[in-house]
Structure formats: C-alpha cells, structure tokens
Amino acid sequence: MKLATVDDGTPDGALAVISADGSRYLATNVPTLQAAIEGWHKAEPTLTGLAARLDAGEGESTHSLVFAAPLPRAWQWLDGSAYRSHGALMETLFGTEPPPPGRPLMYQGLSHQFLSATSDVPLPREEDGIDFEGEFGIITDFVPMGVTPEQALGHIKLLVQINDWSLRALAPVEMKTGFGWIHAKPACSLAPFAVTPDELGDAWRDGRVHLPLTVDWNGVRFGNAEGGPMEFGFHELVAHAASTRSLCAGTIIGSGTVSNSNFREIGSACIAERRGIEMLDEGKARTGFMRFGDRVRMECRLRDGRVLFGAIDQKVVKA
Amino acid sequence: MKLATVDDGTPDGALAVISADGSRYLATNVPTLQAAIEGWHKAEPTLTGLAARLDAGEGESTHSLVFAAPLPRAWQWLDGSAYRSHGALMETLFGTEPPPPGRPLMYQGLSHQFLSATSDVPLPREEDGIDFEGEFGIITDFVPMGVTPEQALGHIKLLVQINDWSLRALAPVEMKTGFGWIHAKPACSLAPFAVTPDELGDAWRDGRVHLPLTVDWNGVRFGNAEGGPMEFGFHELVAHAASTRSLCAGTIIGSGTVSNSNFREIGSACIAERRGIEMLDEGKARTGFMRFGDRVRMECRLRDGRVLFGAIDQKVVKA
C-alpha cells in the first residue's frame, strides 16, 4: 500500500491512498497520515480496502494533485548513520572516533518541517557547504520504552525515502561541542509516497531496504548504492532510539546516507562522501558542494522497474 | 497573563487562562496553547480579555483541575547552555572544549512529550545517573530564518520553567560521537503555567529572567541561583536557532541549567554541577545521582513572593 499527503493548504495536508504505479488515488476519511499512524490498527483496514479498489482500476488521476511530504511535520525525527562505509569515511574527514562496536550513531533532527519532493530548498549561503544525503527511512506507531529489536520490527509501519540536507561547513564546529547539530541540519525532504513494507516483497528483509537509491546531480548520475548493507537494521535503530524514551506514533527514523563499500564503482548518495574518497585517493577534495540553482534527483525502483516512493527532484535556492 | 493546559485526556489538552495568583481560571474558545501561539495576534486579545476578568475576581477554582504541561508535546524543543559558570564546570567534567567565543551551545531535544509538573518520571535504570536540570525557557511564534537578536525579542511570546531530565552516565559516549544526545536526554518536564513576559515586570529585561530558581531535592534546599547571568539572552538563542531554519510557532527554547559563578554559596540547579564543584574542591565527586523514589521540586517566585510558573514537584520511578 502506498500513501501520500495532498497539499490542501493545511499544515498536515490530506491523506490519500495511491495506486501501485502512482497514477491514481482515492481519498479517505482518515484525515491525515499522522492520524492514520496514531490509530493504525483502526485505519489500516480502511486504507487497505481503498488500495484494493485502486488495484481493481478505480480512482482518479494523480496528475492534478500537489503532494506535500507524507508527514509535512512530525513530532520526532531521528537520523541514524547505519552504513559503516559512509561512517568510516566521515570519521576520516572530520577526525572523529568511530562509535563503540555494536552501537548505532543517531541524532535528533529538526522535525517541524519536511519539504515536499518538488519544492525549492531555501538556504542562506552557498559557502555553508550545501550537500544532499540520500536515505531510506521508516515511520513507527507508538513504541514503548525498552523495546527489543525483534519487537521493534512490528512497530515499523511505513517506509519512506529522504533527502537529509546538510550544511557541511557548519558541521565540524557543532560536532566538536558534543551537543550535535543545529545550524548544519536544516529541514529534510521526503519523497511523495510512504509505503507499507509488503510493497517491497522480499526486498524488505532483516529490517533493511534491499533496493538501490539512484542519485542524479544536475542530471548526471552521482550514485546508485544499494540500501541493504546497513550495519544495523531499522528494527535495531528503533530499539536504540527507544532505550530511555517511548517513541510517539509518527516517529521517523532515517538510515543515514546510503553507502556501499564499493563506492568507487557505484558512487555516493552525498557529496561529502565523494570528497572523502577524493581525499583518500588524491590527497584533496576536488568536487565542490552545491550552488544555488543546482538540482538533485533521488529515486528508488523495484527490481521490475516500478518507482517505489516517487522521485525527490529539487532545486536549491537562496533563502 | 498566565496560561495553562488542562489535562482533558486529549494529546494537547485544553487551554485555560489562570489568575495571577494561580487560584482561579477561565476556559477559552481558543482550543489549545499550540493553536494560540500559531495565531497569536488573533488569540492574544481574547486571552487578555479573560485575564482582565480574572483580575476583576471572576473565574472558578483551579483546585479541581489537573494540569498537563503547557505544551504536552511541541514541534520543536531546543535547549541552550547559556550560563558560562555551568558550561565551564561541565567542560572540566567531560573534558570537552569550550565553544568558540560569541557562540551559544544548543542541542535539538525530544519534543514529542513534555511531562506535567506533578507526574511521576519513569526512567529505566538508577545507574544511568539520573539528574535534574532546572531551567527557564521561552516559547516563540513563527520565526523566519535569519532573524536578528533584536527582531527575535518580539517573537518571544511566553516564558516557561523547565526540568530538563538528564542521564549523566549515558552522556559522554554520545557527546564523543559528535551526534549529540539520544539516550542521555529523555522527556523534559514543564511547570504548569506559561506566562507572558509582562507578568515579570522589570524582572524580564535583556531577554533574561532576573529571578531566582529554587531547587529542593527530597525536601532539602539544593540551589537558589539567579536566572539573570546568562551569557546569551533568549533573543540571542532564538537568533542562533534560526540561522539556517525558520522556527515553527510553538518552538520552546531553554536556557540550560541555571547557574551563577558563586555556586559555592547559592548552590546548583543540577547534581552534575555540584559533583563538578566537589571534583574541583575535593578531588572527587561525593554526591550521588537520584534514586528511584527521590523527589525534586523547582519553583520561581516574583520579588513579592508570588509563585510565577507554579512548582515542578516530581518523583522518579522505575519505568
């Protein structure tokens, strides 16, 4: 099942169920995605019923719709850094220590705004080192404190695709304080469709999305890394997050930048990683960060070629 | 004007206007504090009108009410560390470097839950180093990206009193990653009343609360530090927060642990600070952290003795 939020001018938009190919939709009396996830056991049968009608050919064309992010705002956004090949490079770049073995990296991010997949991205200065970070993510229902990874798996209700915008020049000074990021992490973007795990078939297993995420920067292929090789699965990230807190329904947790150890062949999902590779291979970073007017496009397709989450395709502009 | 949220079983509660002495209330057709702050220019005259009727002696007794936190959940919670005497001690304790001069410390915290002033505080383990942190805070309306400190002052609509719960044993490993805190920062608590700055008279000036915050641990006075000596005023914290993002209406920003340089005389608003002083003075920390069943009470009074935000008075329990 694919869900989307139609931008109807309200802060949380209006929930719609989308056909598997993304071309048709049906409206629902479940008002918002947040309402659906807060009452998932009640909402799911209604939404599944609408999805079945879409499968049978019903529904209106999505062409006239403007999609917001599936959650235009969320009560909690936690981002992991679960790809070790990316983490190791960043540690080289920033001179930080690797986390203790068996312990995921995670930060609490800005959650009051998620940009839609096609809206411009307003940022204050090019010299802040504007970077994209292609990620997969999950949305949970209510998760009690102290949940195990096995229990956590059942709390993963929806999968999403994320661009975690980063201002790289502002990151080191914030990391050094130990307090984490404020300036370096503006609002993220979400691809238009949040999907239930069963949409992925066996590409969803071990709490991981076993599909590639393609990233194009100004129309040129930049990366095509596989989502599978996470050091920690999403169920382990959920359990990590819930160690000393319960998680509200509608908590979004990100994978961190998708990255594979053969990054020299398949490319990267963020510029900082490519710069890190250049520093390792050539002694210095050649590739600059994004300029105003640049575009980045991110997309994930099922093995049969169908687009899964819809594309993120955005332009960076001066705020 | 004093505002409170009555716990009516809904996630955001019901807004009420409270008399200056906290004894009476009037209900309002502005449904929640979040709704009030999102439409402040429209809500304020209505609420001010009710406050005037309370001043004239109208209203029902607050005795039968159960208060939630003024915002039982918020879209954004950012906590500063604006008292240099506290920061310097923490840097000694954790071996971290001071921030660059002129730059506030700030982290993004868990905002999907704020505990009420009287509810039990469920935490998983005593050995995590359970600590309180007495703070003042502010609530903003919508703040555009790039606001100056002078402009930011006008966006401070309400003042609050906070206990920022901390799990000290879990903090160092998270600070070392540079990603900030997840495990070390569970949900905070808020005193029952959010007040407009004019309630403080000239005790609100320079974007600072010039009043003492008393802290009692198991009935014994632990600290009585003045709120005034912030290195950065709240208007500067707002401007810092809004450097690369806009702030949603209902953003809560905290001062960090209230602390004065004469902490040996007036005491502290958190245990870690006292332990830091003991380490400096005696070579090692004598005071342990909180145990299950312990209580902490925090209160701020105007110079005439009237309680301003209402008391926070909570017991720590095993989750």
Side-chain angles (χ1 to χ4, degrees):
Chain A
M1 177 165 62
K2 274 186 161 74
L3 300 174
T5 294
V6 177
D7 185 351
D8 64 353
T10 65
D12 300 303
L15 184 61
V17 187
I18 307 292
S19 63
D21 66 357
S23 70
R24 284 166 294 113
Y25 78 100
L26 281 169
T28 157
N29 58 0
V30 182
T32 64
L33 185 55
Q34 181 64 35
I37 198 82
E38 284 178 3
W40 189 251
H41 64 288
K42 209 178 142 191
E44 193 187 19
T46 305
L47 301 175
T48 308
L50 293 169
R53 286 172 50 193
L54 286 159
D55 285 345
E58 282 189 57
E60 300 293 311
S61 167
T62 52
H63 259 92
S64 59
L65 298 183
V66 177
F67 291 117
L71 287 175
R73 53 183 181 176
W75 294 108
Q76 182 162 245
W77 154 237
L78 300 168
D79 197 11
S81 179
Y83 294 90
R84 195 81 285 274
S85 52
H86 177 76
L89 263 172
M90 291 302 100
E91 285 145 23
T92 305
L93 206 62
F94 290 118
T96 50
E97 283 179 49
R103 185 188 176 83
L105 283 167
M106 187 175 283
Y107 72 91
Q108 180 114 28
L110 181 173
S111 70
H112 70 264
Q113 183 185 26
F114 285 87
L115 300 173
S116 84
T118 52
S119 66
D120 286 349
V121 182
L123 293 169
R125 290 165 299 271
E126 286 181 341
E127 56 267 35
D128 290 344
I130 302 168
D131 200 358
F132 45 82
E133 290 190 29
E135 307 193 1
F136 294 111
I138 57 99
I139 304 179
T140 70
D141 63 359
F142 174 81
V143 180
M145 192 191 297
V147 81
T148 66
E150 292 63 36
Q151 292 164 336
L153 203 55
H155 291 289
I156 297 174
K157 298 305 183 192
L158 293 166
L159 309 179
V160 291
Q161 182 193 312
I162 302 165
N163 184 357
D164 172 37
W165 290 100
S166 289
L167 300 172
R168 299 292 187 182
L170 309 179
V173 64
E174 293 194 318
M175 294 187 78
K176 222 169 164 180
T177 64
F179 277 51
W181 299 291
I182 302 289
H183 290 178
K185 292 288 183 183
C188 298
S189 307
L190 290 177
F193 308 137
V195 309
T196 46
D198 63 297
E199 275 299 288
L200 278 69
D202 67 0
W204 172 251
R205 58 180 193 275
D206 314 320
R208 291 158 170 88
V209 176
H210 292 269
L211 292 170
L213 182 65
T214 62
V215 178
D216 297 315
W217 181 10
N218 291 331
V220 178
R221 177 60 40 91
F222 192 79
N224 192 33
E226 286 285 333
M230 290 168 83
E231 185 182 3
F232 304 97
F234 280 111
H235 57 309
E236 293 168 298
L237 297 183
V238 171
H240 178 82
S243 173
T244 62
R245 62 179 67 181
S246 56
L247 309 183
C248 59
T251 291
I252 310 177
I253 298 184
S255 63
T257 306
V258 175
S259 172
N260 300 163
S261 55
N262 61 337
F263 39 54
R264 286 177 184 83
E265 295 149 46
I266 48 96
S268 298
C270 73
I271 301 171
E273 182 173 299
R274 178 176 286 188
R275 287 168 58 88
I277 298 164
E278 291 168 351
M279 287 169 73
L280 285 184
D281 292 353
E282 307 169 39
K284 66 171 191 156
R286 245 183 324 107
T287 305
F289 289 107
M290 292 183 88
R291 312 297 297 264
F292 292 138
D294 280 9
R295 298 194 74 90
V296 65
R297 182 182 171 90
M298 299 176 177
E299 201 175 55
C300 170
R301 289 175 184 265
L302 293 164
R303 301 293 175 196
D304 66 9
R306 276 182 302 140
V307 172
L308 184 57
F309 302 102
I312 292 177
D313 191 346
Q314 292 180 287
K315 186 170 72 176
V316 173
V317 299
K318 185 161 173 56
Chain B
M1 176 166 64
K2 273 185 160 77
L3 301 175
T5 294
V6 177
D7 185 351
D8 64 354
T10 65
D12 300 303
L15 184 61
V17 187
I18 308 291
S19 62
D21 66 357
S23 70
R24 286 166 292 112
Y25 78 101
L26 281 169
T28 157
N29 60 0
V30 182
T32 64
L33 185 56
Q34 181 64 34
I37 198 82
E38 284 178 3
W40 189 250
H41 64 287
K42 209 179 143 192
E44 194 188 18
T46 304
L47 301 174
T48 308
L50 293 169
R53 286 171 49 194
L54 286 159
D55 285 345
E58 283 190 55
E60 300 294 311
S61 167
T62 52
H63 260 92
S64 60
L65 298 183
V66 176
F67 291 117
L71 287 175
R73 54 183 180 177
W75 294 108
Q76 182 163 247
W77 154 239
L78 301 168
D79 197 12
S81 178
Y83 294 90
R84 195 81 285 274
S85 52
H86 177 76
L89 262 173
M90 290 301 102
E91 286 145 22
T92 305
L93 207 61
F94 291 117
T96 49
E97 286 179 47
R103 184 188 177 84
L105 282 167
M106 186 175 284
Y107 73 90
Q108 181 114 28
L110 181 172
S111 71
H112 71 263
Q113 184 185 24
F114 285 88
L115 300 172
S116 84
T118 53
S119 66
D120 286 349
V121 182
L123 292 170
R125 289 166 298 270
E126 286 182 340
E127 56 267 35
D128 291 344
I130 301 168
D131 199 359
F132 45 81
E133 292 189 30
E135 308 193 0
F136 295 111
I138 57 100
I139 304 179
T140 70
D141 64 358
F142 174 81
V143 180
M145 192 191 296
V147 80
T148 65
E150 291 66 34
Q151 293 164 337
L153 203 54
H155 292 288
I156 297 173
K157 298 305 183 193
L158 293 165
L159 308 179
V160 291
Q161 181 193 312
I162 303 165
N163 184 357
D164 171 37
W165 290 99
S166 289
L167 300 172
R168 299 293 188 182
L170 308 180
V173 63
E174 294 194 316
M175 294 187 78
K176 223 169 165 182
T177 65
F179 277 50
W181 299 291
I182 302 288
H183 291 177
K185 292 288 183 183
C188 298
S189 307
L190 291 177
F193 309 137
V195 310
T196 46
D198 62 296
E199 274 303 285
L200 278 70
D202 67 0
W204 172 251
R205 57 180 192 278
D206 314 320
R208 291 159 170 88
V209 176
H210 293 269
L211 292 169
L213 182 65
T214 63
V215 178
D216 297 316
W217 180 11
N218 291 333
V220 178
R221 178 60 38 93
F222 192 79
N224 192 32
E226 287 284 334
M230 291 167 83
E231 185 182 4
F232 304 96
F234 279 112
H235 57 310
E236 293 167 298
L237 297 184
V238 172
H240 178 81
S243 173
T244 62
R245 62 178 68 180
S246 55
L247 309 183
C248 59
T251 291
I252 310 177
I253 299 183
S255 64
T257 306
V258 174
S259 173
N260 299 165
S261 56
N262 61 337
F263 39 54
R264 286 179 184 81
E265 295 148 45
I266 50 98
S268 298
C270 73
I271 301 171
E273 182 173 300
R274 177 174 285 187
R275 286 169 58 88
I277 297 164
E278 291 167 352
M279 286 170 73
L280 285 183
D281 292 355
E282 307 169 37
K284 66 171 191 154
R286 242 184 327 107
T287 306
F289 289 107
M290 293 183 87
R291 312 296 297 263
F292 293 137
D294 280 10
R295 298 194 73 90
V296 64
R297 181 183 171 90
M298 300 178 177
E299 200 175 55
C300 171
R301 288 176 185 265
L302 293 164
R303 300 294 175 194
D304 65 10
R306 276 183 301 140
V307 173
L308 185 56
F309 302 103
I312 292 176
D313 192 345
Q314 292 180 287
K315 185 171 72 174
V316 173
V317 299
K318 183 157 175 59

